[in-house]
């Protein structure tokens, strides 16, 4: 889950985008036992988030959703299904359109705009990496320009990309180059960088979605991290908690072990959550 700061939108000739409030679920991609995306599950997933968790914002095809392990066609199908099933139920559907090459990012951005996505996000390319702010902004601008009316987010996750350009630095002048720039999905533990971003954002112009769950569900995550915790284990836990068949991850990731599932379930059952559940 991600926690955004509530934004303020300055005067603009364009109508301001909808305000993003509350939690944003980084969605899992349900898969069949043979590794194909399981689109029919999305309807159940949407209803679970809205009715059981009171979550009405989603971030689709990101890290938790194994976006970079999916084909372009699969990512489009998932985006379309979330938009379809989320209509009149979800407040925001943000689609991650990042890829290792610019043409694919642009294709996904155009598609997200065409289906009415509430926002798009882009991870930094991480094979041939940008080495400074100007290179990164130039790449992001080329993607954002393909969806000129869709709010744009930079997806900052240096533990996976190795791109450690500080967000504080990135914010300087970015609105002039990317008019649709809305904020950052900040998935890093550098709280000094985040604090500086918040300080610079005194007018509330930007949104910051904080994507490091360890600070929110510490007791459980501290336990499962010691067992070995990643996307595969997230899918297993979600299946156990929600009853929704999320299936296995896609190779090279492998399914969580039966031992992990049993221990994680026992730990979850032992925790007294704030609402008493």
């Amino acid at each position: 889950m991600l926690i955004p700061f509530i934004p303020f939108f300055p005067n603009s000739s364009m109508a301001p985008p909808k305000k993003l409030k509350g939690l944003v679920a980084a969605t899992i991609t349900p898969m069949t036992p043979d590794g194909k995306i399981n689109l029919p599950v999305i309807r159940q997933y949407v209803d679970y988030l809205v009715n059981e968790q009171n979550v009405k914002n989603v971030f689709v095809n990101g890290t938790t959703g194994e976006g970079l392990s999916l084909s372009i066609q699969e990512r489009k199908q998932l985006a379309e299904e979330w938009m379809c099933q989320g209509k009149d139920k979800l407040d925001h559907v943000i689609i991650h359109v990042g890829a290792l090459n610019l043409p694919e990012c642009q294709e996904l951005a155009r598609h997200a705009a065409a289906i009415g996505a509430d926002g798009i996000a882009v991870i930094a390319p991480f094979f041939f990496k940008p080495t400074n702010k100007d290179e990164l902004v130039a790449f992001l601008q080329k993607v954002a320009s393909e969806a000129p009316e869709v709010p744009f987010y930079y997806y900052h996750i240096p533990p996976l990309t190795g791109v450690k350009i500080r967000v504080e630095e990135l914010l300087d002048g970015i609105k002039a180059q990317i008019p649709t720039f809305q904020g950052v999905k900040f998935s890093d533990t550098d709280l000094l960088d985040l604090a500086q971003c918040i300080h610079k954002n005194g007018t509330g112009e930007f949104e910051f979605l904080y994507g490091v769950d360890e600070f929110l569900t510490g007791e459980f995550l501290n336990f499962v991290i010691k067992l070995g915790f990643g996307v595969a284990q997230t899918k297993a836990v979600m299946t156990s908690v929600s009853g929704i068949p999320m299936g296995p991850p896609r190779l090279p990731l492998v399914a969580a072990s039966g031992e992990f599932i049993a221990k994680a379930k026992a730990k979850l059952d032992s925790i007294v959550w704030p609402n008493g559940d």
Side-chain angles (χ1 to χ4, degrees), residues 162-177:
V163 176
K164 299 180 179 180
I165 299 165
R166 291 174 63 82
V167 177
E168 174 200 358
E169 178 186 0
L170 187 75
L171 293 181
D172 288 333
I174 194 169
K175 195 77 174 179
Q177 298 179 71

Side-chain angles (χ1 to χ4, degrees), residues 1-3 24 26 64 210-218 221 229:
M1 297 292 184
L2 318 174
I3 297 184
V24 183
T64 301
Y210 191 55
V212 182
D213 297 331
E214 286 80 349
F215 291 92
L216 304 177
T217 53
L221 286 171
F229 192 68

Side-chain angles (χ1 to χ4, degrees), residues 29-267:
T29 296
M31 292 186 183
T32 62
D34 60 352
K36 294 183 174 62
I37 60 173
N38 193 358
L39 291 176
V41 171
I42 301 299
R43 181 175 183 178
Q44 182 183 0
Y45 197 172
V46 170
D47 289 343
Y48 172 79
L49 289 172
V50 173
N51 299 328
E52 301 296 327
Q53 300 297 324
N54 196 31
V55 172
K56 295 186 178 182
N57 309 298
V58 295
F59 186 90
V60 177
N61 288 337
T63 303
T64 301
E66 302 172 79
L68 274 296
S69 292
L70 305 176
S71 70
I72 296 298
Q73 186 58 32
E74 287 174 323
R75 292 174 69 172
K76 288 181 178 180
Q77 290 173 337
L78 278 163
E80 290 169 9
E81 192 67 14
W82 276 100
M83 289 300 300
C84 177
Q85 299 302 333
K87 185 178 181 181
D88 301 324
K89 295 181 180 179
L90 297 173
D91 292 338
H92 285 81
V93 178
I94 300 172
I95 307 296
H96 174 238
V97 301
L100 292 183
N101 64 80
L102 181 59
E104 288 186 356
C105 292
Q106 292 175 315
E107 180 180 346
L108 288 168
R110 289 192 295 270
H111 177 262
I115 65 175
D118 301 292
I120 59 173
V122 174
I123 199 171
F126 54 86
F127 188 82
F128 294 115
K129 300 180 179 69
T131 60
N132 57 55
K133 169 192 168 180
D134 291 341
E135 292 175 358
L136 177 56
V137 171
F139 181 88
L140 299 178
Q141 189 278 330
K142 288 292 187 182
V143 181
S145 64
E146 296 296 317
E149 297 183 3
V150 181
F152 180 86
Y153 297 83
Y154 169 53
Y155 182 7
H156 179 64
I157 184 166
L160 290 184
T161 63
V163 176
K164 299 180 179 180
I165 299 165
R166 291 174 63 82
V167 177
E168 174 200 358
E169 178 186 0
L170 187 75
L171 293 181
D172 288 333
I174 194 169
K175 195 77 174 179
Q177 298 179 71
I178 305 176
T180 55
F181 183 81
Q182 191 70 21
V184 179
K185 181 185 177 187
F186 193 102
S187 295
D188 190 21
T189 56
D190 186 349
L191 297 183
L192 177 59
D193 189 15
L194 180 60
Q196 290 296 106
C197 291
I198 295 169
H199 177 71
K200 282 190 173 182
N201 191 43
T203 62
E205 182 178 7
F206 302 132
E207 298 168 351
F208 294 93
L209 317 181
Y210 191 55
V212 182
D213 297 331
E214 286 80 349
F215 291 92
L216 304 177
T217 53
E219 181 180 350
F220 176 69
L221 286 171
N222 183 56
F223 177 80
V224 293
I225 285 169
K226 292 177 181 177
L227 299 179
F229 192 68
V231 170
Q233 290 72 27
T234 299
K235 297 185 89 165
V237 169
M238 184 64 175
T239 297
S240 177
V241 169
S242 68
I244 302 172
M246 293 300 178
R250 179 163 289 178
L251 290 170
L253 301 180
V254 296
S257 67
E259 179 183 9
F260 170 87
I261 294 170
K263 289 182 177 179
K265 186 176 186 308
K267 183 62 176 178

